[in-house]
């Protein structure tokens, strides 16, 4: 319980910082879904109530977020109501995994389609996570969700699982509560806000090529969308258990976790090995 309380405090710090740093009066804002995004929505509501923010309109990415925003009296619109040619000023949302290139896996809460539709229309997408979501590569740390149509879903699941680009994955149909990325025994298929099913792809190794995997999954007939969010993240705010936050990306530091932190070391090893090889070659001549 203490660990959960500490992590909730970290998530709250990241959510509040994202709103304080990026949301200004008069903006159009995308509101994410999940345990970390919850605090960003809470902060928008607080600042509207206090009068610190004015004339802000928001677009929620799920029914759950819509209900939370309505309870806080946050003015809401939909993508349909946006003037032609305009974009959201900013979208704030969490992620289930973040690699050193700030590619994300999202959809653990089942809202990946609406999240992607809103966030791809944002000038800035701010990702807010706690430190446990950082990884060296997408795949093993969190299953990749794929939203599919209910029609012949077992067939679509098999086609996705057989793609060479996701070789080695285990495809599992999500059952029970859609916001829980588990296959609950004896439960019916989980249904997204859009009336679709979700398949979670479990990996034991890093996805070899995230770009190719994303493209291949999207091309499968029966797939609605997937949880890979690539080339979309403007900034990632990472919360730590001690309550501090660090910023990666625009306005922050270059991502420091995963493979990047070992790059200088590996480069040094490669140089030494190469010099040793040259020396041995000269001696053998």
């Amino acid at each position: 319980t203490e660990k959960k309380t500490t992590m909730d405090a970290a998530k709250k710090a990241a959510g509040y910082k994202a709103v304080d740093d990026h949301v200004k009066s008069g903006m159009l804002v995308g509101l994410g879904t999940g345990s970390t995004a919850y605090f960003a929505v809470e902060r928008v509501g607080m600042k509207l109530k206090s009068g610190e923010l004015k004339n802000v309109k928001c677009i929620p990415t799920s029914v759950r977020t819509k209900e939370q925003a309505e309870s806080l009296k946050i003015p809401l619109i939909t993508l349909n109501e946006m003037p032609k040619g305009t974009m959201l000023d900013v979208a704030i949302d969490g992620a289930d995994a973040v690699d050193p290139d700030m590619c994300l896996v999202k959809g653990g809460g089942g809202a990946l389609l609406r999240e992607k539709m809103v966030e791809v229309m944002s000038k800035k997408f701010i990702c807010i996570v706690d430190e446990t979501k950082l990884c060296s590569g997408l795949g093993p740390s969190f299953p990749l969700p794929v939203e599919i149509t209910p029609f012949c879903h077992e067939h679509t699941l098999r086609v996705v699982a057989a793609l060479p680009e996701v070789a080695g994955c285990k495809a599992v149909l999500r059952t029970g509560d859609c916001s829980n990325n588990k296959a609950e025994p004896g439960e019916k298929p989980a249904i997204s806000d859009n009336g679709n099913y979700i398949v979670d792809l479990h990996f034991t190794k890093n996805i070899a090529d995230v770009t190719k995997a994303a493209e291949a999954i999207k091309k499968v007939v029966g797939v609605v969308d997937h949880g890979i969010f690539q080339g979309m993240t403007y900034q990632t705010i990472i919360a730590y258990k001690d309550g501090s936050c660090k910023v990666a990306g625009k306005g922050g530091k270059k991502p420091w976790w995963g493979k990047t932190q070992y790059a200088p070391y590996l480069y040094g090893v490669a140089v030494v090995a190469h010099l040793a090889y040259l020396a041995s070659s000269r001696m053998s001549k």
Side-chain angles (χ1 to χ4, degrees), residues 73-224:
K73 296 181 170 54
I74 297 173
L76 301 178
I77 64 169
T78 68
L79 289 173
N80 287 340
E81 297 167 78
M82 287 176 58
K84 186 177 179 180
T86 62
M87 297 185 72
L88 286 81
D89 294 288
V90 65
I92 301 170
D93 202 358
D96 300 301
V98 187
D99 78 4
D101 296 318
M102 295 207 300
C103 294
L104 318 174
V105 163
K106 291 175 51 57
L112 62 100
L113 176 61
R114 296 191 186 192
E115 288 172 341
K116 190 174 286 187
M117 287 179 70
V118 171
E119 286 149 19
V120 78
M121 288 299 296
S122 303
K123 296 174 186 175
K124 293 194 297 185
F125 169 41
I126 311 302
C127 178
I128 48 175
V129 295
D130 64 72
E131 60 184 306
T132 66
K133 303 301 192 299
L134 304 180
C135 63
S136 61
L138 301 185
S141 69
F142 198 91
L144 171 61
V146 180
E147 189 160 344
I148 66 173
T149 59
F151 177 73
C152 293
H153 64 279
E154 293 178 359
H155 161 74
T156 305
L157 182 154
R158 289 194 297 267
V159 173
V160 170
L163 292 170
E165 292 82 359
V166 294
C169 78
K170 180 183 178 182
V172 180
L173 181 67
R174 191 178 298 190
T175 56
D177 186 351
C178 190
S179 64
N180 176 18
N181 72 318
K182 300 288 186 293
E184 298 178 8
E187 294 290 334
K188 293 180 179 179
I191 300 175
S192 73
D193 286 345
N194 316 299
N196 297 315
Y197 292 171
I198 293 179
V199 173
D200 292 296
L201 306 183
H202 295 252
F203 294 85
T204 56
K205 297 180 180 178
N206 289 352
I207 298 172
D209 190 318
V210 173
T211 302
K212 289 182 178 178
E215 292 173 349
I217 296 170
K218 183 73 173 178
K219 286 179 180 177
V220 173
V221 178
V223 166
V224 180

Side-chain angles (χ1 to χ4, degrees), residues 1-8:
T1 305
E2 184 180 345
K3 184 178 179 181
K4 184 177 185 299
T5 303
T6 303
M7 201 51 72
D8 281 346

